[in-house]
Amino acid sequence: MTTTKKVPAYAAQSATSGLAPLSIMRREPSPEDVEIEILFCGICHSDLHSVRNEWSEFMATNYPIVPGHEIVGRVTRVGSAVTKFKAGDVAAVGCMVDSDGTCPQCKAGLEQFCPNMILTFNSPDKHLGGFTYGGYSGGIVVDEHFVLRVPFNLNLAGAAPLLCAGITTYSPMHHWGVTKGKKVGVVGLGGLGHMAVKFAHALGAHVVVFTTSPNKKEDALRLGADEVVVSRNADEMKKHAGSFDFILDAVSADHDINAYINLLGIDGNLTLVGAPAKPLSVPAFGLIARRRSFSGSMIGGIPETQEMLDFCGKHNITADVEVIPIQKVNEAYERLLKSDVKYRFSIDMASLKSE
Ligand SMILES: [Zn+2]
Ligand SMILES: [Zn+2]
């Protein structure tokens, strides 16, 4: 029988309840496990979608739900077979906590595409039954393979969002060969977009940010953009026609994707990391005429997530965060809906102790 330990958390009991304190159980570390005291957890838009059961058609929420998959903390205990971590280390956990380890995707380090991948929250928990609980909690116990090392120089509150927003934007840039001399577009300057700008800039690309709000221009330049285009301005858009190597589209609202496909050069690629609810309409000639491609991407595998964190350590990259106590989480969700945050909330988990 698995023994357990009680930890404080914040959970939602229904799609409309909001988040409130709840004690949850974590397993005692098995030989392969790392036990982590959570210091910071970022707030991702998918936390909000899951809490409110907005993705019910393909991933219904099981209540109570403890969201959070941008986790940074300190190792408190390790199992006897753990080799990469010891008590006192700073460690991180992202969107996944397990996979089968045997399928071709796992063998290739692409655990995010494993048919048996277990998400950090709202996935079946094979150890304790019920469903996995995420990072809005005091601690978590995770198989060593899914625990990441955090470079010592990074600010921990700002490092937390790297575990989802960071890898989600780094992985497609890596895959599509963003390097020095490439022209890269970033559509939408939010939690994902602002990370994309930092990565593309650090990789040496010429970075162009597309935004609907002219007042974001200064901030985009500060984050590392070389140019800012107001996407509502047709003349400005036309100037860039057929010139991009790669465009990352981080917009989840309904929008005209073809306006961006037309900006790609020969063999250019546009990758979606946002998830608009309605199907997008793409005319074939937009792709055929210049051998353009249109693709999607979802987080990244464990080896690539570690590579991304190491890259962030080398270039001193973290997310721009507003640190909040857990007691402000419901308010933060409302502000997230209005894009009223620059550019990610990071919850200081020390605040859980005052519950
Ligand atoms: Zn996320
Ligand atoms: Zn697998």
Side-chain angles (χ1 to χ4, degrees), residues 99-103 105-106 114-116:
S99 68
D100 57 31
T102 55
C103 74
Q105 291 85 311
C106 283
C114 173
N116 299 305

Side-chain angles (χ1 to χ4, degrees), residues 44-47 69-70 95 164-165 344:
C44 173
H45 217 114
S46 42
D47 298 352
H69 57 203
E70 296 183 331
C95 304
C164 176
R344 205 74 156 171

Side-chain angles (χ1 to χ4, degrees), residues 254-332:
D254 203 16
H255 64 295
D256 177 16
I257 199 81
N258 299 299
Y260 298 102
I261 287 178
N262 288 333
L263 302 186
L264 294 171
I266 292 166
D267 286 329
N269 169 268
L270 183 144
T271 292
L272 284 185
V273 289
K278 271 194 223 152
L280 299 159
S281 167
V282 178
F285 274 103
L287 300 172
I288 290 170
R290 292 182 193 234
R291 200 164 59 189
R292 291 160 170 155
S293 62
F294 174 39
S295 62
S297 189
M298 184 185 82
I299 54 176
I302 293 297
E304 196 178 45
T305 304
Q306 188 61 61
E307 179 191 305
M308 177 275 306
L309 286 167
D310 294 343
F311 180 85
C312 288
K314 200 170 150 203
H315 297 271
N316 205 18
I317 293 172
T318 53
D320 286 20
V321 292
E322 177 178 336
V323 178
I324 59 161
I326 187 80
Q327 291 79 7
K328 289 247 162 101
V329 68
N330 294 308
E331 199 180 299

Side-chain angles (χ1 to χ4, degrees), residues 31-85:
E32 293 78 28
D33 283 337
V34 176
E35 182 191 67
I36 298 165
E37 179 195 3
I38 300 173
L39 300 175
F40 292 97
C41 184
I43 297 181
C44 173
H45 217 114
S46 42
D47 298 352
L48 190 155
H49 286 304
S50 301
V51 160
R52 299 187 178 180
N53 202 13
E54 289 168 354
W55 285 339
S56 56
E57 310 101 81
F58 64 102
M59 207 180 358
T61 301
N62 301 283
Y63 294 97
I65 181 174
V66 177
H69 57 203
E70 296 183 331
I71 300 167
V72 167
R74 197 167 293 282
V75 175
T76 44
R77 284 188 293 168
V78 298
S80 56
V82 168
T83 58
K84 289 188 296 180
F85 298 92

